[in-house]
Amino acid sequence: MALSLSFGPVVAGPLDKPECIAAAKPGGGFDLTCKLAQTALADAQAIKDPMRVTYMPGGIGAVAYNAIVAQRPAEANTIVAFSGGSLLNLAQGKFGKYSDSDVRWLSIIGADYGAVVVRKDSPYKDLKDLAAALKADSTKVVFGAGGTVGSQDWMKAALTAKAAGVSHKAMRFVAFEGGGEGIAALQGGHVHVYSGDASEAASQIKAGANIRVLAVLSDKRLPGMLSEVPTAKEQGFDVEWPIVRGFYMGPKVSDADFNAWTEAFNKAMRTPEFDKLRAERGLYPFSMTGTQLDVYVKRYTQQYRKLAADFGLVGTK
């Protein structure tokens, strides 16, 4: 008698043919985040198939967020890069009708931090000097950054002014197209203070830029080139601005598939090679997954919501 065995179709797992969506054009921070995961997960043998990076620009992450929630909510092999800027935009209602509760927050794999930067020959030797100048006459201190009102860089400047006892409405701020333009304007003396990112400042200093970092907006001093730079808190100013980088998934991805991804990231981030990969991309140590991450995202989004309301920014939910 012949024995017939039927096993049915082979079901693809969540880590098969993985895709990472960078919510912008190639070359930016989201691209960098996807490519870090692409390399780290492969090196740690946490995924078998190479990870594909695709691009979905629009609305600084809004188009990708809406697509995953509304059109692709259950794709178990798709992760989407996000940043602290994504959370700020969510808080200001820039992602349409969706909120921070509409996706599954998967992992944070690194962070950058805000930095307050001046020219090497600036009369401001620390934040206290800058605060004193702002209080004396805020119209004589011009901040510059690569972002418009309500952006992360504007927020860093506004919080620095606020910590010095000066209203953001009295702050002079010039928006540039990007960080490179802002740093050039600082070196040219067109602005007096640049509110940017620590990794950006470190790479500019390495390249010979005529700048100095007054403070890093982190909870503790940063490793590497800026290890001698004090935090704002050390100087008596309660200002922190972490710029996290990580991933989320669709809201209908199953617990089993989501947990498989969580374990893959935990495995990759435990390797010593990961620390090197992260540092090469200008990111500082910051790893988080699971329930802890969900709590972190909700807490920061709420803080950003309150900040946006305090600063009177339009569009805040």
PDB file of all heavy atoms in Angstrom, residues 216-238:
ATOM      1  N   VAL A 216      26.797  69.387  25.547  1.00  0.00           N
ATOM      2  CA  VAL A 216      26.041  68.316  24.892  1.00  0.00           C
ATOM      3  C   VAL A 216      24.743  68.142  25.679  1.00  0.00           C
ATOM      4  O   VAL A 216      24.720  68.255  26.905  1.00  0.00           O
ATOM      5  CB  VAL A 216      26.845  66.992  24.833  1.00  0.00           C
ATOM      6  CG1 VAL A 216      27.963  67.105  23.810  1.00  0.00           C
ATOM      7  CG2 VAL A 216      27.398  66.583  26.192  1.00  0.00           C
ATOM      8  N   LEU A 217      23.656  67.884  24.959  1.00  0.00           N
ATOM      9  CA  LEU A 217      22.335  67.801  25.595  1.00  0.00           C
ATOM     10  C   LEU A 217      21.984  66.334  25.877  1.00  0.00           C
ATOM     11  O   LEU A 217      20.979  65.803  25.423  1.00  0.00           O
ATOM     12  CB  LEU A 217      21.282  68.469  24.701  1.00  0.00           C
ATOM     13  CG  LEU A 217      21.601  69.905  24.269  1.00  0.00           C
ATOM     14  CD1 LEU A 217      20.449  70.486  23.454  1.00  0.00           C
ATOM     15  CD2 LEU A 217      21.908  70.800  25.465  1.00  0.00           C
ATOM     16  N   SER A 218      22.875  65.689  26.639  1.00  0.00           N
ATOM     17  CA  SER A 218      22.705  64.287  27.006  1.00  0.00           C
ATOM     18  C   SER A 218      22.638  64.169  28.527  1.00  0.00           C
ATOM     19  O   SER A 218      22.943  65.126  29.245  1.00  0.00           O
ATOM     20  CB  SER A 218      23.879  63.458  26.468  1.00  0.00           C
ATOM     21  OG  SER A 218      25.116  64.034  26.859  1.00  0.00           O
ATOM     22  N   ASP A 219      22.257  62.985  29.017  1.00  0.00           N
ATOM     23  CA  ASP A 219      22.140  62.806  30.468  1.00  0.00           C
ATOM     24  C   ASP A 219      23.502  62.621  31.129  1.00  0.00           C
ATOM     25  O   ASP A 219      23.663  62.868  32.314  1.00  0.00           O
ATOM     26  CB  ASP A 219      21.212  61.619  30.798  1.00  0.00           C
ATOM     27  CG  ASP A 219      21.680  60.329  30.135  1.00  0.00           C
ATOM     28  OD1 ASP A 219      22.469  60.400  29.179  1.00  0.00           O
ATOM     29  OD2 ASP A 219      21.243  59.247  30.578  1.00  0.00           O
ATOM     30  N   LYS A 220      24.482  62.176  30.338  1.00  0.00           N
ATOM     31  CA  LYS A 220      25.854  62.081  30.856  1.00  0.00           C
ATOM     32  C   LYS A 220      26.831  62.372  29.724  1.00  0.00           C
ATOM     33  O   LYS A 220      26.433  62.412  28.561  1.00  0.00           O
ATOM     34  CB  LYS A 220      26.129  60.704  31.468  1.00  0.00           C
ATOM     35  CG  LYS A 220      25.829  59.516  30.574  1.00  0.00           C
ATOM     36  CD  LYS A 220      26.061  58.216  31.328  1.00  0.00           C
ATOM     37  CE  LYS A 220      25.826  56.999  30.454  1.00  0.00           C
ATOM     38  NZ  LYS A 220      24.413  56.761  30.169  1.00  0.00           N
ATOM     39  N   ARG A 221      28.092  62.574  30.062  1.00  0.00           N
ATOM     40  CA  ARG A 221      29.080  62.904  29.028  1.00  0.00           C
ATOM     41  C   ARG A 221      29.179  61.802  27.982  1.00  0.00           C
ATOM     42  O   ARG A 221      28.980  60.629  28.282  1.00  0.00           O
ATOM     43  CB  ARG A 221      30.456  63.147  29.668  1.00  0.00           C
ATOM     44  CG  ARG A 221      30.496  64.422  30.476  1.00  0.00           C
ATOM     45  CD  ARG A 221      31.904  64.911  30.670  1.00  0.00           C
ATOM     46  NE  ARG A 221      31.931  66.069  31.558  1.00  0.00           N
ATOM     47  CZ  ARG A 221      32.976  66.860  31.724  1.00  0.00           C
ATOM     48  NH1 ARG A 221      34.092  66.614  31.061  1.00  0.00           N
ATOM     49  NH2 ARG A 221      32.915  67.886  32.541  1.00  0.00           N
ATOM     50  N   LEU A 222      29.499  62.207  26.757  1.00  0.00           N
ATOM     51  CA  LEU A 222      29.542  61.269  25.643  1.00  0.00           C
ATOM     52  C   LEU A 222      30.941  60.679  25.478  1.00  0.00           C
ATOM     53  O   LEU A 222      31.933  61.350  25.780  1.00  0.00           O
ATOM     54  CB  LEU A 222      29.133  61.974  24.349  1.00  0.00           C
ATOM     55  CG  LEU A 222      27.723  62.576  24.343  1.00  0.00           C
ATOM     56  CD1 LEU A 222      27.487  63.347  23.054  1.00  0.00           C
ATOM     57  CD2 LEU A 222      26.662  61.489  24.506  1.00  0.00           C
ATOM     58  N   PRO A 223      31.024  59.447  24.998  1.00  0.00           N
ATOM     59  CA  PRO A 223      32.338  58.863  24.723  1.00  0.00           C
ATOM     60  C   PRO A 223      32.942  59.472  23.460  1.00  0.00           C
ATOM     61  O   PRO A 223      32.259  60.155  22.703  1.00  0.00           O
ATOM     62  CB  PRO A 223      32.013  57.383  24.514  1.00  0.00           C
ATOM     63  CG  PRO A 223      30.600  57.365  24.020  1.00  0.00           C
ATOM     64  CD  PRO A 223      29.921  58.518  24.703  1.00  0.00           C
ATOM     65  N   GLY A 224      34.229  59.237  23.258  1.00  0.00           N
ATOM     66  CA  GLY A 224      34.859  59.670  22.015  1.00  0.00           C
ATOM     67  C   GLY A 224      35.382  61.089  22.042  1.00  0.00           C
ATOM     68  O   GLY A 224      35.789  61.611  23.085  1.00  0.00           O
ATOM     69  N   MET A 225      35.333  61.742  20.884  1.00  0.00           N
ATOM     70  CA  MET A 225      35.941  63.061  20.701  1.00  0.00           C
ATOM     71  C   MET A 225      35.413  64.137  21.642  1.00  0.00           C
ATOM     72  O   MET A 225      36.127  65.067  21.989  1.00  0.00           O
ATOM     73  CB  MET A 225      35.694  63.543  19.260  1.00  0.00           C
ATOM     74  CG  MET A 225      36.699  63.058  18.268  1.00  0.00           C
ATOM     75  SD  MET A 225      36.387  63.825  16.676  1.00  0.00           S
ATOM     76  CE  MET A 225      36.786  65.530  17.019  1.00  0.00           C
ATOM     77  N   LEU A 226      34.140  64.034  22.031  1.00  0.00           N
ATOM     78  CA  LEU A 226      33.521  65.091  22.842  1.00  0.00           C
ATOM     79  C   LEU A 226      33.481  64.732  24.335  1.00  0.00           C
ATOM     80  O   LEU A 226      32.718  65.324  25.093  1.00  0.00           O
ATOM     81  CB  LEU A 226      32.094  65.362  22.341  1.00  0.00           C
ATOM     82  CG  LEU A 226      31.970  65.759  20.868  1.00  0.00           C
ATOM     83  CD1 LEU A 226      30.512  66.010  20.495  1.00  0.00           C
ATOM     84  CD2 LEU A 226      32.811  66.989  20.544  1.00  0.00           C
ATOM     85  N   SER A 227      34.322  63.797  24.750  1.00  0.00           N
ATOM     86  CA  SER A 227      34.274  63.322  26.147  1.00  0.00           C
ATOM     87  C   SER A 227      34.615  64.416  27.168  1.00  0.00           C
ATOM     88  O   SER A 227      34.217  64.319  28.332  1.00  0.00           O
ATOM     89  CB  SER A 227      35.213  62.130  26.329  1.00  0.00           C
ATOM     90  OG  SER A 227      36.543  62.485  26.004  1.00  0.00           O
ATOM     91  N   GLU A 228      35.313  65.456  26.732  1.00  0.00           N
ATOM     92  CA  GLU A 228      35.675  66.550  27.652  1.00  0.00           C
ATOM     93  C   GLU A 228      34.592  67.627  27.735  1.00  0.00           C
ATOM     94  O   GLU A 228      34.681  68.541  28.564  1.00  0.00           O
ATOM     95  CB  GLU A 228      36.998  67.202  27.200  1.00  0.00           C
ATOM     96  CG  GLU A 228      38.203  66.267  27.205  1.00  0.00           C
ATOM     97  CD  GLU A 228      38.493  65.718  28.602  1.00  0.00           C
ATOM     98  OE1 GLU A 228      38.566  66.517  29.548  1.00  0.00           O
ATOM     99  OE2 GLU A 228      38.639  64.483  28.738  1.00  0.00           O
ATOM    100  N   VAL A 229      33.597  67.549  26.859  1.00  0.00           N
ATOM    101  CA  VAL A 229      32.550  68.585  26.832  1.00  0.00           C
ATOM    102  C   VAL A 229      31.500  68.281  27.905  1.00  0.00           C
ATOM    103  O   VAL A 229      30.922  67.196  27.927  1.00  0.00           O
ATOM    104  CB  VAL A 229      31.863  68.636  25.441  1.00  0.00           C
ATOM    105  CG1 VAL A 229      30.744  69.678  25.439  1.00  0.00           C
ATOM    106  CG2 VAL A 229      32.889  68.944  24.357  1.00  0.00           C
ATOM    107  N   PRO A 230      31.238  69.244  28.803  1.00  0.00           N
ATOM    108  CA  PRO A 230      30.237  69.004  29.847  1.00  0.00           C
ATOM    109  C   PRO A 230      28.811  68.998  29.304  1.00  0.00           C
ATOM    110  O   PRO A 230      28.530  69.610  28.270  1.00  0.00           O
ATOM    111  CB  PRO A 230      30.443  70.184  30.805  1.00  0.00           C
ATOM    112  CG  PRO A 230      31.040  71.263  29.970  1.00  0.00           C
ATOM    113  CD  PRO A 230      31.858  70.574  28.917  1.00  0.00           C
ATOM    114  N   THR A 231      27.926  68.307  29.992  1.00  0.00           N
ATOM    115  CA  THR A 231      26.507  68.334  29.631  1.00  0.00           C
ATOM    116  C   THR A 231      25.909  69.671  30.060  1.00  0.00           C
ATOM    117  O   THR A 231      26.490  70.383  30.888  1.00  0.00           O
ATOM    118  CB  THR A 231      25.743  67.196  30.330  1.00  0.00           C
ATOM    119  OG1 THR A 231      25.744  67.445  31.741  1.00  0.00           O
ATOM    120  CG2 THR A 231      26.368  65.843  30.045  1.00  0.00           C
ATOM    121  N   ALA A 232      24.749  69.988  29.515  1.00  0.00           N
ATOM    122  CA  ALA A 232      24.044  71.209  29.939  1.00  0.00           C
ATOM    123  C   ALA A 232      23.694  71.109  31.427  1.00  0.00           C
ATOM    124  O   ALA A 232      23.795  72.089  32.176  1.00  0.00           O
ATOM    125  CB  ALA A 232      22.786  71.400  29.097  1.00  0.00           C
ATOM    126  N   LYS A 233      23.293  69.915  31.853  1.00  0.00           N
ATOM    127  CA  LYS A 233      22.910  69.707  33.256  1.00  0.00           C
ATOM    128  C   LYS A 233      24.070  69.987  34.201  1.00  0.00           C
ATOM    129  O   LYS A 233      23.887  70.553  35.270  1.00  0.00           O
ATOM    130  CB  LYS A 233      22.390  68.280  33.455  1.00  0.00           C
ATOM    131  CG  LYS A 233      20.959  68.083  32.968  1.00  0.00           C
ATOM    132  CD  LYS A 233      20.362  66.795  33.476  1.00  0.00           C
ATOM    133  CE  LYS A 233      18.858  66.786  33.189  1.00  0.00           C
ATOM    134  NZ  LYS A 233      18.209  65.563  33.687  1.00  0.00           N
ATOM    135  N   GLU A 234      25.267  69.554  33.804  1.00  0.00           N
ATOM    136  CA  GLU A 234      26.470  69.819  34.621  1.00  0.00           C
ATOM    137  C   GLU A 234      26.669  71.318  34.815  1.00  0.00           C
ATOM    138  O   GLU A 234      27.214  71.754  35.830  1.00  0.00           O
ATOM    139  CB  GLU A 234      27.714  69.262  33.922  1.00  0.00           C
ATOM    140  CG  GLU A 234      27.978  67.793  34.130  1.00  0.00           C
ATOM    141  CD  GLU A 234      29.262  67.386  33.413  1.00  0.00           C
ATOM    142  OE1 GLU A 234      30.356  67.705  33.917  1.00  0.00           O
ATOM    143  OE2 GLU A 234      29.172  66.770  32.344  1.00  0.00           O
ATOM    144  N   GLN A 235      26.232  72.096  33.820  1.00  0.00           N
ATOM    145  CA  GLN A 235      26.432  73.548  33.869  1.00  0.00           C
ATOM    146  C   GLN A 235      25.230  74.279  34.485  1.00  0.00           C
ATOM    147  O   GLN A 235      25.156  75.504  34.456  1.00  0.00           O
ATOM    148  CB  GLN A 235      26.712  74.066  32.459  1.00  0.00           C
ATOM    149  CG  GLN A 235      27.972  73.449  31.841  1.00  0.00           C
ATOM    150  CD  GLN A 235      28.227  73.952  30.435  1.00  0.00           C
ATOM    151  OE1 GLN A 235      28.475  75.136  30.211  1.00  0.00           O
ATOM    152  NE2 GLN A 235      28.193  73.043  29.462  1.00  0.00           N
ATOM    153  N   GLY A 236      24.291  73.499  35.028  1.00  0.00           N
ATOM    154  CA  GLY A 236      23.158  74.100  35.732  1.00  0.00           C
ATOM    155  C   GLY A 236      21.928  74.369  34.876  1.00  0.00           C
ATOM    156  O   GLY A 236      21.027  75.098  35.303  1.00  0.00           O
ATOM    157  N   PHE A 237      21.881  73.775  33.667  1.00  0.00           N
ATOM    158  CA  PHE A 237      20.747  74.010  32.771  1.00  0.00           C
ATOM    159  C   PHE A 237      20.069  72.669  32.462  1.00  0.00           C
ATOM    160  O   PHE A 237      20.694  71.773  31.897  1.00  0.00           O
ATOM    161  CB  PHE A 237      21.218  74.689  31.479  1.00  0.00           C
ATOM    162  CG  PHE A 237      21.840  76.029  31.719  1.00  0.00           C
ATOM    163  CD1 PHE A 237      23.193  76.141  32.015  1.00  0.00           C
ATOM    164  CD2 PHE A 237      21.062  77.181  31.700  1.00  0.00           C
ATOM    165  CE1 PHE A 237      23.771  77.381  32.272  1.00  0.00           C
ATOM    166  CE2 PHE A 237      21.627  78.421  31.949  1.00  0.00           C
ATOM    167  CZ  PHE A 237      22.983  78.524  32.239  1.00  0.00           C
ATOM    168  N   ASP A 238      18.814  72.550  32.816  1.00  0.00           N
ATOM    169  CA  ASP A 238      18.108  71.276  32.688  1.00  0.00           C
ATOM    170  C   ASP A 238      17.580  71.086  31.266  1.00  0.00           C
ATOM    171  O   ASP A 238      16.385  71.187  31.004  1.00  0.00           O
ATOM    172  CB  ASP A 238      16.958  71.222  33.713  1.00  0.00           C
ATOM    173  CG  ASP A 238      16.329  69.837  33.778  1.00  0.00           C
ATOM    174  OD1 ASP A 238      16.955  68.901  33.255  1.00  0.00           O
ATOM    175  OD2 ASP A 238      15.230  69.707  34.331  1.00  0.00           O
TER     176      ASP A 238
END
